[in-house]
Amino acid sequence: MKRRNFIKAGAVGLASPILLAGKKKIKVNKNNPIVISTWLHGIPANEVSFKILNKNGSALDAVEAGVRIAEADAENQSVGLGGRPDSEGNVTLDACIMDSNGNAGAVGFLENIKHPISVARKVMEETDHVMLAGKGALKFALSNGFKSENLLTKASRKGWLEWKKDNRIKDSWGPNDDHDTITSLAQDNDGNLSGACTTSGLAYKLQGRVGDSPIIGAGMYVDNEVGAAGATGMGELVMKTCGSFLVVELMRQGYSAMEACNEAIDRIIRQEGGKTKLQVGYIALEKDGSVGYSSIQKGFQYALYKDGVNKLHDVKSIF
Ligand code: ASP
């Protein structure tokens, strides 16, 4: 159903969204693996993911392995090792992962562990919980064989010390530089979907701040019947609109991946009273293999590996 018809249907009252849910017939894309990831660091992540998918690996293994590349990259100052710290100089990491069976795992406010995404996967696979945070998450990671290490690199420490001298410069480290949260969505040969999202969050945030990235349905969401979506940018705006869940749910109700991303961005802008200087970007991967993307401001990029080509694309902003 086209967006306009959907809105019309919605206007007649109770009839609509629920009745529409699930009515859309989606062709499943099989034997044609796809990975889509946020930002430039999505390119090397996609490479690793695609190798796994090409060997008939699962979408879950693919997204985990892909984002681990960004987490281990000390030069990347927005994910894992080398991430920009909070206002007190602590690198605190958020991540979540979701598989094609609706299983989910997440960690928030995790310190000293380079690969939060793999801890999130352990939470998903080894516990009855979805999310562990802070000291408990660290304890869980250490008891599962993860190594404790200092994640604050010289470069990130230097940036933090400069910010402390004059914290007005924090505006130049907004969520729109080309090293940001990595969210990665993949579809494997069987047509199954999975997603992963990992970040050090906003630079110089208040201690204890947790963003959208580890929140299932905000930073990332997978519904294997319909599609997957993920976010980057100002997490507070994403959380307040349940962003990734919204994108997936709109696809369930008939929006294309692109229409769903645009509507979710539009929802934020409306909630912000029609304008905002902040950035949010969404990516989406529908079960039929089509992709969507949208952002509030210009500058957002996504990396798409499809039909044997891994390419970085610029997103036209809403503003
Ligand atoms: N979404 C992340 C957060 O708010 C940061 C980002 O993507 O820039 O923590």
Side-chain angles (χ1 to χ4, degrees):
M1 176 173 275
K2 285 278 168 274
R3 178 176 172 188
R4 211 175 315 117
N5 296 341
F6 171 76
I7 290 168
K8 248 202 260 161
V12 292
L14 271 184
S16 49
I18 293 161
L19 284 179
L20 287 170
K23 286 262 170 82
K24 181 176 168 185
K25 284 217 175 99
I26 299 179
K27 247 179 72 190
V28 182
N29 170 53
K30 286 190 179 174
N31 301 313
N32 175 34
I34 298 172
V35 202
I36 182 168
S37 303
T38 51
W39 304 108
L40 178 60
H41 49 207
I43 290 283
N46 285 0
E47 285 294 334
V48 168
S49 300
F50 206 78
K51 273 191 194 135
I52 292 172
L53 295 172
N54 244 350
K55 287 189 195 141
N56 230 7
S58 70
L60 181 68
D61 286 343
V63 289
E64 182 195 8
V67 302
R68 279 173 62 98
I69 301 297
E71 288 180 337
D73 180 358
E75 311 267 292
N76 181 335
Q77 291 183 289
S78 60
V79 183
L81 174 67
R84 294 190 188 97
D86 66 13
S87 55
E88 300 186 21
N90 313 295
V91 180
T92 69
L93 305 176
D94 296 337
C96 76
I97 194 159
M98 230 177 143
D99 72 11
S100 55
N101 296 312
N103 297 311
V107 287
F109 194 51
L110 176 63
E111 293 181 70
N112 298 112
I113 302 289
K114 188 161 72 181
H115 289 299
I117 199 65
S118 298
V119 185
R121 183 167 176 176
K122 276 263 181 262
V123 173
M124 175 172 84
E125 291 178 342
E126 308 290 334
T127 79
D128 294 331
H129 308 312
V130 168
M131 184 189 279
L132 295 178
K135 277 189 184 156
L138 177 61
K139 195 172 156 193
F140 173 80
L142 296 175
S143 68
N144 276 281
F146 290 85
K147 243 185 32 214
S148 172
E149 53 194 299
N150 176 20
L151 303 178
L152 187 63
T153 54
K154 268 191 191 157
S156 289
R157 183 164 187 277
K158 191 165 168 255
W160 168 64
L161 291 173
E162 277 163 19
W163 170 82
K164 275 220 302 187
K165 266 193 254 150
D166 177 3
N167 67 19
R168 280 171 308 171
I169 67 163
K170 74 179 172 197
D171 290 343
S172 63
W173 293 122
N176 199 22
D177 67 85
D178 63 3
H179 290 287
D180 229 293
T181 296
I182 184 159
T183 300
S184 203
L185 312 170
Q187 186 169 40
D188 58 30
N189 275 330
D190 294 330
N192 287 324
L193 300 165
S194 292
C197 176
T198 176
T199 191
S200 50
L202 291 185
Y204 320 133
K205 59 199 174 187
L206 288 178
Q207 191 182 21
R209 183 261 188 192
V210 172
D212 61 314
S213 305
I215 313 283
I216 298 297
M220 196 271 301
Y221 193 71
V222 177
D223 177 337
N224 199 45
E225 282 183 354
V226 176
T232 179
M234 185 54 78
E236 282 70 9
L237 300 185
V238 176
M239 283 188 269
K240 287 189 287 181
T241 49
C242 298
S244 294
F245 180 76
L246 177 61
V247 172
V248 172
E249 205 51 26
L250 288 168
M251 291 194 285
R252 177 181 279 283
Q253 295 178 4
Y255 285 59
S256 70
M258 194 66 87
E259 288 169 335
C261 289
N262 283 335
E263 172 59 25
I265 289 291
D266 215 44
R267 191 74 63 92
I268 291 175
I269 295 168
R270 293 207 299 279
Q271 197 178 64
E272 293 300 295
K275 57 174 186 250
T276 174
K277 287 194 171 137
L278 301 170
Q279 173 68 307
V280 168
Y282 287 115
I283 53 172
L285 173 56
E286 207 170 339
K287 192 75 174 168
D288 67 0
S290 57
V291 298
Y293 41 83
S294 189
S295 65
I296 303 176
Q297 316 291 347
K298 63 177 185 229
F300 179 44
Q301 295 177 307
Y302 68 94
L304 176 64
Y305 206 138
K306 196 176 179 181
D307 303 325
V309 184
N310 190 18
K311 204 174 153 210
L312 191 67
H313 301 262
D314 291 317
V315 174
K316 257 194 173 169
S317 61
I318 293 269
F319 288 125

